[in-house]
Amino acid sequence: MSSAPQFRFRRSRFTPAQDAPKPAVPTARAIVDCGVYVAGRRLPGRFTPAAALAEVRRRCEGFVWVGLFEPDARQMGEIARTFDLHSLAVEDAVKGNQRPKLERYDDTLVTVMRTVAYVEHDMATVSEIVQTGEIMVFTAPDFVVAVRHGEHSGLAEVRHRLEADPQRLARGSGAVLHAITDHVVDSYLEVAGSVEYDVEQIEEELFTPRSRLPIESIYQLKREIVELRRAVSPLAQPLQLLTRPEIPLPKEIRRYLRDVADHHTGVAERINDLDESLTALVGAAVAKIAIQQSADMRRISAFVAILAVPTMIAGIYGMNFDYMPELRQTWGYPVVLATMVVICLALVVVFRRIRWL
């Protein structure tokens, strides 16, 4: 007797569709500009970073200046392989949001600077006032790689200004580092001036009689000044380090950087003064509110005292007793009303003299 055929069923496995990998964005998308500079002048033509570096090393003079805007890890990795950048610095360049600092990897200096920009706003509303970004500059004898984070931190103006001054650009890659740091510190001065104008406006509005400036605006400006100070103050130490003799920069460039450090010290002190001024304004605003509340309470108390007089008299004569003074007199009603008015007017005069009304 033959046995019935056996059928084996194979279970199907459902594999969820995986997200397709994102297409790699070419490194050229992150490159803002790439130029070769020899004897203070830019060579004509377009270069890739690798071709530019090869041209400089073939000539044994000049340097490459590459500008990058918010590169991803793959794009920055390709640049790092071309210029032999340290992996730790490359990781910081990709992540961004670094504290201002100066690091040295052999002959390569890595300078991190925070950038700031002033945002036009309405003083009566709470809004962003200071935007921050970042610039990381890799400086070596034959190249400069500037990595930017933030829309406002463009360096096109710096490049154009240097290209118009070949004598300055002929000093080498250190001249580019000085120009970038000088540009960043100048932006600090501009933002500090704009914020100082805001502080003066708030001070004028605060001490104007019957002004209705919301205290939230003062707190918002103070918070923005604290953020500005956090971006500006830490750069003091890197700038001082750049002026030391052991830093591989020409002596003339270190002198220029010393001037930038002096300007930075001035703007840092200016920002600290603004912070202290706003702290005093916050105290003045709170005191003004307390004084206004005290004046309102005195005014309310005066009205309550005035209204208490007719309320008390009306309450007494509303007790419905048969025998009360002047209750059945024909002149009782006008006398009571006149008494109420006289007492109330007397209280008004008294409260006005003591400035409660």
Side-chain angles (χ1 to χ4, degrees):
M1 184 176 179
S2 62
S3 59
Q6 296 180 356
F7 299 96
R8 295 182 178 179
F9 297 93
R10 184 172 57 187
R11 294 183 179 179
S12 62
R13 295 183 178 179
F14 174 74
T15 303
Q18 297 181 353
D19 294 337
K22 296 182 179 180
V25 180
T27 304
R29 293 282 187 90
I31 297 176
V32 179
D33 199 355
C34 177
V36 178
Y37 298 88
V38 178
R41 298 191 179 276
R42 181 169 181 165
L43 296 184
R46 299 175 62 88
F47 294 87
T48 64
L53 186 61
E55 178 68 19
V56 168
R57 290 178 176 175
R58 184 185 67 82
R59 291 171 173 264
C60 295
E61 64 174 335
F63 64 93
V64 181
W65 183 0
V66 180
L68 301 172
F69 178 69
E70 297 183 356
D72 58 26
R74 193 198 63 80
Q75 295 167 340
M76 195 63 204
E78 184 175 339
I79 297 295
R81 287 188 295 271
T82 300
F83 295 97
D84 193 22
L85 304 179
H86 198 278
S87 58
L88 292 177
V90 171
E91 183 180 357
D92 291 343
V94 174
K95 290 182 178 179
N97 198 25
Q98 301 295 313
R99 180 181 174 85
K101 59 183 178 180
L102 174 67
E103 295 180 342
R104 180 177 179 181
Y105 299 95
D106 297 330
D107 291 335
T108 303
L109 296 176
V110 180
T111 310
V112 181
M113 294 169 280
R114 301 287 293 173
T115 60
V116 296
Y118 180 79
V119 180
E120 296 293 339
H121 60 282
D122 185 2
M123 295 301 298
T125 61
V126 177
S127 59
E128 187 179 25
I129 300 173
V130 177
Q131 287 182 344
T132 59
E134 180 183 309
I135 297 178
M136 178 178 286
V137 185
F138 298 83
T139 310
D142 54 358
F143 67 84
V144 175
V145 177
V147 183
R148 301 189 293 108
H149 292 270
E151 294 289 344
H152 64 275
S153 56
L155 297 176
E157 179 184 350
V158 177
R159 188 183 291 265
H160 296 329
R161 190 164 58 244
L162 279 177
E163 290 177 352
D165 189 359
Q167 184 177 1
R168 181 181 177 189
L169 197 56
R171 296 189 178 102
S173 57
V176 177
L177 176 61
H178 163 258
I180 294 176
T181 56
D182 188 49
H183 171 73
V184 171
V185 173
D186 285 345
S187 69
Y188 293 165
L189 289 169
E190 293 176 3
V191 173
S194 299
V195 174
E196 185 176 12
Y197 178 74
D198 287 343
V199 173
E200 292 174 356
Q201 276 193 315
I202 285 181
E203 184 176 7
E204 182 179 355
E205 181 70 18
L206 180 63
F207 293 106
T208 299
R210 300 181 182 85
S211 64
R212 295 296 179 182
L213 179 67
I215 194 172
E216 292 83 1
S217 299
I218 304 178
Y219 278 112
Q220 171 70 7
L221 185 56
K222 181 173 177 58
R223 188 185 68 82
E224 295 294 325
I225 287 182
V226 170
E227 183 177 356
L228 177 62
R229 185 173 61 181
R230 289 175 179 172
V232 172
S233 296
L235 187 58
Q237 184 178 7
L239 289 177
Q240 292 297 330
L241 291 175
L242 284 173
T243 62
R244 294 184 176 179
E246 61 269 20
I247 296 298
L249 290 173
K251 185 177 181 181
E252 189 68 17
I253 296 299
R254 293 202 304 271
R255 289 176 178 172
Y256 282 109
L257 287 171
R258 191 176 298 116
D259 181 68
V260 174
D262 291 340
H263 291 170
H264 177 270
T265 301
V267 71
E269 293 176 352
R270 189 174 178 182
I271 292 173
N272 287 334
D273 292 341
L274 290 176
D275 188 31
E276 293 177 0
S277 297
L278 269 184
T279 301
L281 287 180
V282 169
V286 172
K288 183 177 180 180
I289 292 175
I291 293 173
Q292 185 64 39
Q293 290 178 342
S294 177
D296 293 340
M297 288 301 300
R298 290 198 302 266
R299 192 174 293 107
I300 293 172
S301 300
F303 282 118
V304 170
I306 293 172
L307 294 177
V309 174
T311 302
M312 179 188 67
I313 296 176
I316 292 175
Y317 280 91
M319 291 187 294
N320 296 324
F321 287 106
D322 289 336
Y323 301 101
M324 294 183 68
E326 293 84 27
L327 186 62
R328 300 186 182 278
Q329 300 293 331
T330 55
W331 43 265
Y333 180 71
V335 168
V336 170
L337 289 181
T339 303
M340 292 182 183
V341 172
V342 170
I343 295 176
C344 290
L345 291 177
L347 289 175
V348 169
V349 172
V350 171
F351 287 136
R352 282 189 177 276
R353 285 184 177 180
I354 62 175
R355 299 184 182 277
W356 278 37
L357 286 177

